[in-house]
Amino acid sequence: MTPTSTPVMPYDATYEHMGDWGRARVVKPGLVIQEPGTSTPKLVTNDLIDINLGMREFVESSWYNPWYKDGFASEVPSEVSGITEDPIGNPVSYYHPWRKWTMPLPQPRSVPMAYPTPYSWAMSPRFVPYQGYKPISNLYYNVEADPQAVMYAQVLQPQAPTPIYSSYYSVAGLGAYYNSNEMSVKFYLPSVSTTTESVPPEFSSSQGKEIEFKYIAPYALSGGKIITNAIERMRARAFEAGLDGMGMWIAWFSAMNWLKQGKTQVSSMPPSSWTYVKNTNQNVAIGVGMKEAPRGAQYHSEVFATGKGVTVPTINPQQIQPTTVNAGPRVKLTYDDGIQTIKPASPTHGAGTFEEAIMGNPDYNIQGTPRLTVIPESQWDGFEFAQTLRSFDPCFVCGVHMVTPSGRVRFQTLGAPVDLSNVLKVFYRYAMQLR
């Protein structure tokens, strides 16, 4: 790493150094917030500890019993409900996943399903912005977890409290270069040498140089306009795949470097020696893992009993997948979260990202793509809904189903061979117009 002003610690897996080794990743962490209107998106923090502490999860609109409501539910073990601090002594919210307890509450599904009646099996992750391990706002935000969000976190890195303007991995001779003034990130991949495949000349090793990729955020390309839509998410996915590719090359060269030194052992710690040590105010071991998957941000938290070996029980495993972040239903209530009283940043509807997208919000979709404001409802064909949601996550190709308020299914996906050809046709039609 070659930061401008901040020493970056190599990965050591410790919580107390998580902010430093998190910033040394090829794909940088970050929480980006844009206030309403045309204000500039800001990277609030790129510290994984801040992001972890700011995590909240609610079940206001979900088919679960709340684990905390003027006190913890009796079902919650005291080793979980009693966790009040992280491993370095920072306060932990009542609604943090470490203290969350999953209590399903199946209910009849009314038609139409709508707030304030519970209407989803997804819970509602939200974020309180933190800096320096302290909240800087009493608002909680709905966020996107998708490739576009990942790329916004990259291009805004220098605006974070701990600035990094470039990252260079000498083992592979590759790196990324950030310019927050133009909201861009530039990175490189090795060129291709092949006699069996036809590749564009700019990718060929005959050019004698690496391939340069430069991503510029849509906010900058549009001259300061909020643009987040299916096409921009697909464009961001292409660049994120390239960034991930650079990370794979760095990992490959690192592995080859170890092998050349004769270091072939994957781990020197057999499972029988795994040790779980108390690291909070309860007699438990707590941990957290955050990373970027191809479809967005993933979050894992664990509460373990203390002890040694593979038989130590897991008391409270929790996961928040990117789909949950995006699909989380509406949250409108104000909460005492054990640290402060927090309220929704969007009090008018408090919807999750998917709801925002399919409500026809012009900030989330290019006009006409999808055609979400077509009236009367009988003209809806459902394809536009599927196209939009799949742009967040290709895993949805077989899993997006549409039901009208009357309960009659108007559109149901049948699998990739049926739908992808139309998706590609629509994408290229609009891409050619933009070109």
Side-chain angles (χ1 to χ4, degrees):
M1 295 294 297
T2 56
T4 56
S5 60
T6 307
V8 178
M9 176 169 292
Y11 177 73
D12 67 359
T14 63
Y15 183 87
E16 56 266 37
H17 296 147
M18 186 165 65
D20 290 327
W21 56 251
R23 282 186 288 267
R25 289 175 169 175
V26 175
V27 180
K28 309 298 182 192
L31 174 64
V32 176
I33 290 179
Q34 181 176 32
E35 299 294 345
T38 58
S39 60
T40 304
K42 299 291 185 183
L43 184 61
V44 176
T45 184
N46 62 3
D47 192 316
L48 288 175
I49 297 178
D50 282 335
I51 295 171
N52 174 53
L53 291 171
M55 176 72 74
R56 306 288 185 270
E57 199 163 9
F58 303 108
V59 295
E60 184 178 317
S61 298
S62 309
W63 291 311
Y64 300 90
N65 272 321
W67 63 91
Y68 181 85
K69 189 174 183 180
D70 300 323
F72 282 91
S74 59
E75 295 95 326
V76 184
S78 59
E79 307 100 304
V80 171
S81 63
I83 296 173
T84 60
E85 60 183 44
D86 72 353
I88 56 176
N90 297 302
V92 174
S93 166
Y94 300 146
Y95 298 96
H96 189 278
W98 275 327
R99 307 177 80 177
K100 166 191 170 184
W101 198 251
T102 306
M103 297 182 288
L105 183 64
Q107 298 176 38
R109 303 188 183 194
S110 58
V111 178
M113 295 183 290
Y115 184 89
T117 304
Y119 62 98
S120 177
W121 276 115
M123 299 187 187
S124 299
R126 297 294 188 265
F127 284 88
V128 175
Y130 272 61
Q131 287 180 2
Y133 313 157
K134 292 181 174 56
I136 59 171
S137 169
N138 69 336
L139 302 177
Y140 60 83
Y141 289 82
N142 165 57
V143 299
E144 289 189 31
D146 61 12
Q148 184 177 229
V150 171
M151 295 311 296
Y152 261 109
Q154 309 313 299
V155 303
L156 295 175
Q157 279 297 312
Q159 295 183 5
T162 304
I164 296 177
Y165 294 94
S166 64
S167 58
Y168 183 74
Y169 302 85
S170 57
V171 67
L174 297 171
Y177 305 88
Y178 311 96
N179 184 339
S180 64
N181 293 325
E182 66 177 16
M183 293 191 186
S184 72
V185 59
K186 185 167 57 177
F187 58 93
Y188 298 85
L189 287 173
S191 54
V192 180
S193 176
T194 176
T195 58
T196 59
E197 301 292 338
S198 176
V199 297
E202 59 268 28
F203 290 177
S204 173
S205 60
S206 63
Q207 300 296 310
K209 59 182 180 181
E210 289 131 344
I211 309 164
E212 179 181 296
F213 296 85
K214 184 176 182 180
Y215 176 82
I216 303 176
Y219 183 88
L221 287 175
S222 66
K225 184 180 178 181
I226 304 172
I227 295 181
T228 171
N229 52 56
I231 290 177
E232 282 296 345
R233 284 187 285 272
M234 294 170 77
R235 183 174 76 92
R237 187 179 303 282
F239 280 92
E240 188 201 12
L243 193 63
D244 291 342
M246 187 180 77
M248 288 186 283
W249 275 109
I250 292 167
W252 168 263
F253 281 110
S254 298
M256 293 301 101
N257 186 51
W258 291 120
L259 290 174
K260 288 177 182 178
Q261 298 177 33
K263 299 178 180 178
T264 60
Q265 193 171 13
V266 176
S267 174
S268 60
M269 182 183 292
S272 59
S273 67
W274 292 352
T275 304
Y276 300 88
V277 179
K278 171 183 175 179
N279 60 353
T280 183
N281 60 298
Q282 296 294 305
N283 188 32
V284 294
I286 58 176
V288 62
M290 289 172 279
K291 66 183 181 70
E292 291 294 344
R295 61 193 174 108
Q298 289 187 310
Y299 178 97
H300 298 232
S301 70
E302 306 281 350
V303 178
F304 293 97
T306 57
K308 186 175 182 179
V310 296
T311 59
V312 174
T314 304
I315 298 173
N316 188 27
Q318 297 287 340
Q319 293 189 24
I320 300 176
Q321 305 296 347
T323 302
T324 309
V325 177
N326 291 328
R330 299 188 179 208
V331 184
K332 291 186 178 182
L333 298 181
T334 296
Y335 292 90
D336 171 11
D337 73 349
I339 298 172
Q340 60 178 348
T341 299
I342 57 176
K343 58 184 180 180
S346 178
T348 54
H349 46 75
T353 299
F354 285 166
E355 281 196 66
E356 285 273 18
I358 64 174
M359 280 162 47
N361 183 337
D363 292 347
Y364 275 79
N365 296 284
I366 290 177
Q367 187 174 2
T369 312
R371 302 187 300 274
L372 296 176
T373 55
V374 174
I375 296 175
E377 179 193 288
S378 60
Q379 296 181 27
W380 295 0
D381 64 15
F383 171 74
E384 294 80 11
F385 288 85
Q387 173 193 347
T388 299
L389 295 183
R390 289 171 185 167
S391 70
F392 286 92
D393 181 357
C395 296
F396 291 150
V397 71
C398 301
V400 177
H401 309 271
M402 299 310 307
V403 182
T404 62
S406 63
R408 186 160 59 98
V409 176
R410 294 298 301 269
F411 176 85
Q412 181 172 350
T413 65
L414 299 175
V418 175
D419 299 288
L420 270 184
S421 60
N422 288 330
V423 173
L424 293 172
K425 288 177 183 177
V426 171
F427 170 69
Y428 280 110
R429 184 169 71 245
Y430 282 95
M432 292 304 292
Q433 290 180 9
L434 292 174
R435 182 181 178 187

